[in-house]
Amino acid sequence: MRAGLISPEDAVKIWDRVGPMLQRVVDQTEGELLPDDFLDNIINNYMHLWLAVEDTEITMAMVTQIIEYPRRKTLRIIAIAGKGFKETHSQFNDMIESFAIQTGCSGLELWGRKGWKKMLPDWESNYIVFTKNLKERMQ
């Protein structure tokens, strides 16, 4: 298995295989992003695409983004899709942490379902994001 950061140029070339993987993540969200929104942001270097590949099969895709708060910079993991996360977690984690440190980030964030806590025992769960959809009231 190989894993690593993918250049924006290469992301465009393989998007037909990655986009459908990320659609599964989008289906679990509040509709903030579509797969092509990820690609647009990756092309413009606002987000980063990470892949795990076994032989020629893309087994996992992850999208990250550097967030600059007024008093700290953090690397946010926006989406993870695919299979084999338990097997690839340690390799991905080391790469992500190194990338975060190299880019001046002092921490990592992951927004996801509560189930992620089981797979990330050394991460803290500091708060939960509650949402309320107002779309119907806007019409």
Side-chain angles (χ1 to χ4, degrees), residues 1 7-8 13 15-16 19 27 30 34 42-43 58 67 77 80-81 87 98 116-117 124-125 135 137:
M1 195 261 322
S7 73
K13 294 175 189 173
W15 196 251
D16 61 325
D27 292 343
E30 299 289 321
L34 295 174
I42 291 165
I43 290 169
I58 298 171
I67 304 297
I77 300 168
I80 301 175
E87 295 77 21
S98 294
W116 277 107
K117 181 61 180 156
E124 293 180 30
S125 178
K135 232 190 266 187
R137 291 188 58 198

Side-chain angles (χ1 to χ4, degrees), residues 64-138:
T64 61
Q65 180 180 27
I66 294 173
I67 304 297
E68 293 196 35
Y69 294 108
R71 305 210 182 272
R72 93 179 243 182
K73 190 173 172 182
T74 189
L75 184 67
R76 180 179 296 160
I77 300 168
I78 297 175
I80 301 175
K83 59 185 180 183
F85 180 77
K86 287 182 183 178
E87 295 77 21
T88 58
H89 169 67
S90 62
Q91 186 175 356
F92 257 123
N93 192 58
D94 291 344
M95 285 188 300
I96 297 297
E97 285 184 13
S98 294
F99 178 78
I101 291 166
Q102 290 169 7
T103 56
C105 296
S106 61
L108 299 174
E109 291 181 354
L110 181 138
W111 288 12
R113 294 172 288 137
K114 290 180 185 178
W116 277 107
K117 181 61 180 156
K118 290 181 279 188
M119 297 176 72
L120 303 169
D122 60 335
W123 286 55
E124 293 180 30
S125 178
N126 293 325
Y127 54 86
I128 297 172
V129 176
F130 292 93
T131 62
K132 182 177 182 179
N133 190 339
L134 300 175
K135 232 190 266 187
E136 292 173 7
R137 291 188 58 198
M138 293 172 64

Side-chain angles (χ1 to χ4, degrees), residues 5 11 18 23 36 41 43-44 55 95 97 114 118-119:
L5 180 62
V18 176
Q23 181 61 52
D36 285 345
N41 281 283
I43 290 169
N44 291 307
D55 297 319
M95 285 188 300
E97 285 184 13
K114 290 180 185 178
K118 290 181 279 188
M119 297 176 72

